[in-house]
Amino acid sequence: VKAEFYLRLDPPAPARQRQQLAVGIRLRLYPRYRQIRPVTLNFDQYGAAAAMLDQNESYSVAIERGPPDAYLEQPLVIDGAPGNFALTVSMRGARAAGQVVDGNDKPVPGASVTLIPESTGRLAQPFPEGFAELDGGAFLQGIAPGSYVAVPWLDNPPCDFHTPGAYESCLPHGTRVELKAGEDKTIPLRLKLR
């Protein structure tokens, strides 16, 4: 079935800037139940896009490409039904930085850092993730406001990020962090080896 999408920006931008931003944003709709292809939304200069959806499927919506601080304001699940859908993209994502260190306070280059949200409603959106540079420094941006646990890890995650209750089960392996819209925050990132 054909569905039409309209892009809203927060904060609203002047017409010329809005046109440039709209064309630069790409969203992806991931099927939730069956193994069929994701659907890509490329917006025109007016912030409009259309796509064919499977009427027997529901889709999680995520940002695939956009400005660095962009995030979807609300986690979205789209049912495969005809209609018009408004999608709001905020340009006020939070930014978090920290240095991944081991138990001896030595930098751990190459470590991954994943933010697991407290609210399971955000499971439709991929978790914010970053990687430690040579000095152990990691930087994440475009993070939706909320409560997270920041988990640094090497090779294999220390907990299952995608199960119900992941926030609580991952808390012993990371650091609790509260982020507000547009905020810059430094967080401690101690790698806890099993």
Side-chain angles (χ1 to χ4, degrees), residues 105-119:
D105 291 330
K106 291 188 178 174
V108 183
S112 296
V113 178
T114 304
L115 296 183
I116 297 97
E118 182 177 27
S119 168

Side-chain angles (χ1 to χ4, degrees), residues 96-102 105-109 111 113 132-139 152 186-191:
Q99 184 181 36
V100 180
V101 295
D102 63 16
D105 291 330
K106 291 188 178 174
V108 183
V113 178
E133 302 290 336
L134 290 176
D135 63 353
F139 180 71
T186 302
I187 53 177
L189 296 169
R190 185 171 300 278
L191 184 67

Side-chain angles (χ1 to χ4, degrees), residues 116-117 120 127 149 159-171:
I116 297 97
T120 56
F127 297 145
V149 58
C159 52
D160 190 347
F161 299 155
H162 300 285
T163 58
Y167 180 86
E168 290 80 14
S169 65
C170 292
L171 199 50

Side-chain angles (χ1 to χ4, degrees), residues 14-75:
R16 183 178 294 271
Q17 184 183 11
R18 178 180 169 27
Q19 290 174 353
Q20 291 172 342
L21 287 170
V23 170
I25 291 174
R26 178 187 298 156
L27 301 183
R28 183 155 283 205
L29 281 59
Y30 292 95
R32 292 171 56 99
Y33 303 110
R34 295 184 299 138
Q35 293 193 352
I36 58 176
R37 285 192 163 171
V39 176
T40 301
L41 295 180
N42 291 302
F43 294 91
D44 64 19
Q45 63 182 347
Y46 305 107
M52 297 300 290
L53 303 180
D54 186 314
Q55 63 185 350
N56 299 313
E57 183 59 279
S58 293
Y59 299 83
S60 297
V61 184
I63 294 180
E64 183 176 82
R65 183 186 71 202
D69 289 334
Y71 70 91
L72 280 170
E73 278 198 353
Q74 68 282 1

